[in-house]
Amino acid sequence: MSVATAPPVRIQPATLADIPTIVALAEATWEPTYRFIISKEQIEYMYRVIYTPASLQRQMAEQGHTFLLVYVEEQPAGFASYSAKAPAGHYHLNKIYVLPTHQGLGLGQQLVGAVEVAVRTAGGHTLELNVNRHNPALNFYEHLGFQRQREEDIAIGPYWMNDYVMQKAL
């Protein structure tokens, strides 16, 4: 009788050199994540604003976003990013995406766990995120202990993101 073992998973901080990997992962995850939530035009507009190499470089180099990459069997399978925010001790989970082919393997949970460890190590005590009010990921975040704090509507160009702000004490 053979026992199935989970493939080796590695999570590591991304560098500017990893931007092409993040772009490739975003290309594979962005549209499937949002196609049933927002319009195709809004998906394309937001993708162009957030995931160009120049925008990712600004996020990393100027806006203080730390990106983590998750690898399965040495292949990139997803990413997360987080950053400090006011007041002191508060951090924001900016992004978390796992390839559709790798969802359901616990990688998202591992990425959030790695962000939580990094935030606690940096002296943080609260992790916050925004999630579209119609995103099925709401259940995922609630399962991980995040609680809805308020609704927030954010203009992105001519479009609106209709979010919940969720928070978790660490």
Side-chain angles (χ1 to χ4, degrees):
M1 177 186 341
S2 68
V3 177
T5 57
V9 173
R10 176 172 52 93
I11 297 175
Q12 70 180 45
T15 67
L16 293 173
D18 292 311
I19 286 176
T21 299
I22 294 167
V23 168
L25 288 166
E27 285 175 354
T29 58
W30 187 255
E31 194 274 339
T33 299
Y34 293 107
R35 75 175 114 194
F36 300 112
I37 301 172
I38 58 179
S39 71
K40 182 174 176 45
E41 294 78 18
Q42 184 172 355
I43 290 170
E44 291 172 0
Y45 178 86
M46 290 176 58
Y47 183 87
R48 286 192 311 270
V49 168
I50 299 169
Y51 288 107
T52 63
S55 176
L56 289 166
Q57 183 170 346
R58 270 193 310 279
Q59 291 168 48
M60 293 171 122
E62 299 168 23
Q63 298 170 0
H65 292 206
T66 298
F67 281 75
L68 300 177
L69 287 166
V70 61
Y71 292 85
V72 176
E73 295 178 332
E74 298 306 314
Q75 295 300 310
F79 66 94
S81 81
Y82 65 95
S83 57
K85 61 178 283 181
H90 286 244
Y91 283 75
H92 197 269
L93 178 63
N94 303 305
K95 302 171 185 53
I96 179 167
Y97 295 97
V98 173
L99 291 173
T101 55
H102 288 69
Q103 291 176 3
L105 302 176
L107 300 179
Q109 195 166 347
Q110 290 181 57
L111 274 168
V112 171
V115 169
E116 290 176 1
V117 167
V119 165
R120 280 195 298 271
T121 301
H125 54 73
T126 304
L127 186 59
E128 189 175 277
L129 61 85
N130 285 54
V131 60
N132 184 283
R133 293 195 288 264
H134 303 289
N135 191 330
L138 270 168
N139 295 329
F140 168 76
Y141 296 125
E142 289 171 340
H143 174 75
L144 294 180
F146 287 87
Q147 297 179 332
R148 296 179 199 184
Q149 299 298 306
R150 65 186 182 278
E151 292 184 1
E152 187 171 69
D153 297 315
I154 303 163
I156 299 183
Y159 301 103
W160 288 90
M161 287 302 298
N162 307 113
D163 291 351
Y164 286 120
V165 176
M166 302 183 79
Q167 201 173 75
K168 179 179 181 178
L170 303 178

